[in-house]
Amino acid sequence: MPKPAPDTQAAHSPNPVQWPLEAIWQAVAPTLPGFTCEMLTTVDSTNAELMRRFKGGHTEPTLLLAQAQTAGRGRLGRQWHSAAGDSLTFSLGMLLSPAAWSGLSLAVGVSLAESLDPACATERHIGLKWPNDLWLAGSAGSERKLAGVLIETASWEGIRYVVIGVGINIRAVHVPEGRQAAAPPGHLQLLAPTLDAPGALLRVLPPLVQTVQAFSEFGFEPFVARFAKRDVLANREVELSDGQHGQAHGVNIDGALLVHTASGMQVVATSEVSVRPGAGRANTEGQA
Ligand code: BTN
């Protein structure tokens, strides 16, 4: 039985965090043969490390968790900053062959949001900002990015390996001088004060694996309504990175954003989207 591999340095630190790798492995391995879990004290990026391993011939499904990343990667070539202990940073790597890939990052967001916030109360809940951000949402003017997802793929001899990287702010983070965003990032303990990083990992990981497997079989369509329930852009005035603006109208079955602009309904597959300042609630870009 391939055992989860706890990091030795972490095991000898004065107050080692208890990561529930065994419980995760027990929950996931029956449906994902060959699954392994590993925790590192430090790595440049869990996504980069899984990609290196794939290129070195490692194709087994793997959960790689890091207490700290020295070069965490965000979307669009950005950096992802996270302080050890304040965040949950992990990547799930596995072979995958869905009929279509579009919508995977949205399905991952749905899964994470539902696991961390099943109630989805109106006043304060985890919302989804297309394409792959989790926001702490609910009260006007207080929306904050809570988590981000970075999906990368690589192919070798006809097989495709996907790495799903997830960064979740757990506790209030200290943002270094000069890096402050317009608003401080959100963190999970504002919603669930007693939930720590190991508890959050145990909650999200088994359902995430199921989500990825369901996506592979059925595509994004089963997730459309679930995304819509938490869609923070719905019916709001948004601006696209090419300068177009209009009203957001949800996502289609491919996970593309629908935006009604002056020139008609646009189907936006890739773009940066922000809520227009002064048009609804505040535009909030989180730690990335
Ligand atoms: C984003 O919002 O830009 C995506 C951020 C994704 C960050 C996670 S942290 C774990 C994994 N490893 C990385 O280097 N990035 C992802």
Side-chain angles (χ1 to χ4, degrees):
M1 172 171 99
K3 282 279 173 207
D7 179 275
T8 44
Q9 251 177 290
H12 293 112
S13 63
N15 290 309
V17 180
Q18 296 301 311
W19 291 96
L21 299 190
E22 185 72 42
I24 288 172
W25 187 85
Q26 296 282 354
V28 170
T31 58
L32 198 57
F35 177 66
T36 59
C37 319
E38 188 178 342
M39 201 275 290
L40 302 173
T41 304
T42 307
V43 69
D44 55 350
S45 151
T46 51
N47 269 36
E49 173 62 17
L50 284 185
M51 277 300 174
R52 284 192 291 268
R53 291 182 186 188
F54 172 68
K55 285 168 191 163
H58 179 103
T59 58
E60 287 74 32
T62 303
L63 165 66
L64 187 65
L65 176 70
Q67 301 214 34
Q69 297 184 119
T70 55
R73 305 208 295 223
R75 283 184 66 235
L76 306 168
R78 295 187 186 124
Q79 290 181 314
W80 177 264
H81 301 283
S82 53
D86 293 337
S87 317
L88 173 61
T89 50
F90 69 88
S91 300
L92 174 68
M94 58 197 281
L95 295 175
L96 205 67
S97 48
W101 287 85
S102 56
L104 176 58
S105 70
L106 283 74
V108 167
V110 168
S111 178
L112 296 172
E114 289 180 349
S115 298
L116 295 171
D117 174 29
C120 195
T122 315
E123 336 58 269
R124 180 171 270 186
H125 62 272
I126 297 182
L128 296 167
K129 189 218 165 217
W130 186 92
N132 58 357
D133 285 352
L134 276 70
W135 278 15
L136 195 56
S139 52
S142 67
E143 293 166 316
R144 303 279 184 269
K145 179 167 173 174
L146 181 74
V149 176
L150 175 66
I151 296 185
E152 300 179 271
T153 63
S155 301
W156 181 72
E157 292 194 352
I159 58 171
R160 198 133 175 222
Y161 188 73
V162 64
V163 175
I164 299 169
V166 176
I168 303 173
N169 304 330
I170 301 290
R171 303 195 298 224
V173 290
H174 168 72
V175 182
E177 200 65 37
R179 280 200 202 281
Q180 277 100 345
H187 56 279
L188 188 60
Q189 290 186 347
L190 288 170
L191 186 76
T194 58
L195 199 54
D196 58 6
L201 181 70
L202 184 57
R203 264 212 220 175
V204 300
L205 209 280
L208 178 60
V209 170
Q210 285 175 7
T211 292
V212 175
Q213 290 173 323
F215 176 88
S216 182
E217 198 168 343
F218 306 113
F220 181 63
E221 193 167 4
F223 297 93
V224 172
R226 290 157 64 186
F227 186 92
K229 190 175 172 196
R230 294 173 190 263
D231 182 357
V232 297
L233 297 182
N235 303 315
R236 290 169 77 172
E237 285 296 314
V238 296
E239 187 158 325
L240 307 179
S241 45
D242 64 3
Q244 291 194 86
H245 56 87
Q247 192 177 43
H249 280 273
V251 299
N252 68 12
I253 59 164
D254 300 318
L257 181 69
L258 304 174
V259 181
H260 193 241
T261 69
S263 44
M265 193 67 88
Q266 308 290 319
V267 179
V268 182
T270 53
S271 176
E272 276 293 87
V273 177
S274 56
V275 178
R276 294 190 84 203
R281 288 160 282 177
N283 175 20
T284 56
E285 191 55 34
Q287 70 174 98

